Amino acid sequence: MTDSTYQDMPAEDITAVLMEALRQGLVRILIEQDQGPLLGEEEIDARIALLEQENLTLKRRARHNDFAQVAEPLRAAGQVLGITLPETIPSDLGRRVAALFCDLKDIEGKALDGEDARREASPLVARFSAALVQSSATQLAFACQMIGSEYSDHLLAR
């Protein structure tokens, strides 16, 4: 069975929306990692457990083509690009964005656990872009490129 709504969306639009969703998720994680409040061990453990539960919920809902949990952030990413998504998120796109959000939650959990989000995001970013997450001074330039102008001024002020 084919999904005609999905077929009507140009592949470039789908890729662009997924990339924008990645940008928005990654910028939130990077800002929290670099400037967020210091949390106690119990708070960190609780947040990591919540992220793991959210991943499980995303996967379970995807089994039933229920993408309500990802629809709003996906539509926000589309809106930034001027792309209007269909009222019902097509299952193929929904599964791709659910997987993307699961990956982002994994990165966020690892960042909370002391890993560097930039390094953890590198393979994910490489799937969507030829750009690689780099170290040192180019990390900031990469983050600004990934997140767009919305947060660039904020990061460059550091």
Side-chain angles (χ1 to χ4, degrees), residues 7 40 53 55 111 118 131:
Q7 291 175 347
Q53 182 59 48
N55 267 356
R118 290 165 186 84

Side-chain angles (χ1 to χ4, degrees), residues 68-119:
Q69 199 171 358
V70 299
E72 185 178 324
L74 184 62
R75 289 185 197 291
Q79 186 175 14
V80 166
L81 301 170
I83 297 171
T84 302
L85 297 172
E87 187 174 323
T88 301
I89 302 297
S91 61
D92 188 36
L93 177 58
R95 288 176 187 273
R96 290 174 68 185
V97 77
L100 171 63
F101 286 10
C102 283
D103 289 342
L104 285 167
K105 289 178 187 300
D106 287 341
I107 291 166
E108 184 175 359
K110 289 177 181 178
L112 286 166
D113 211 18
E115 299 291 331
D116 178 47
R118 290 165 186 84
R119 185 180 68 79

Side-chain angles (χ1 to χ4, degrees), residues 4-14 17 83-86 90 93:
S4 62
T5 306
Y6 181 74
Q7 291 175 347
D8 291 341
M9 288 184 68
E12 300 82 30
D13 286 357
I14 292 167
V17 169
I83 297 171
T84 302
L85 297 172
L93 177 58

Side-chain angles (χ1 to χ4, degrees), residues 50-61:
L50 179 62
L51 290 167
E52 290 169 352
Q53 182 59 48
E54 288 173 353
N55 267 356
L56 184 59
T57 300
L58 276 173
K59 291 175 185 178
R60 285 183 176 159
R61 288 185 176 182

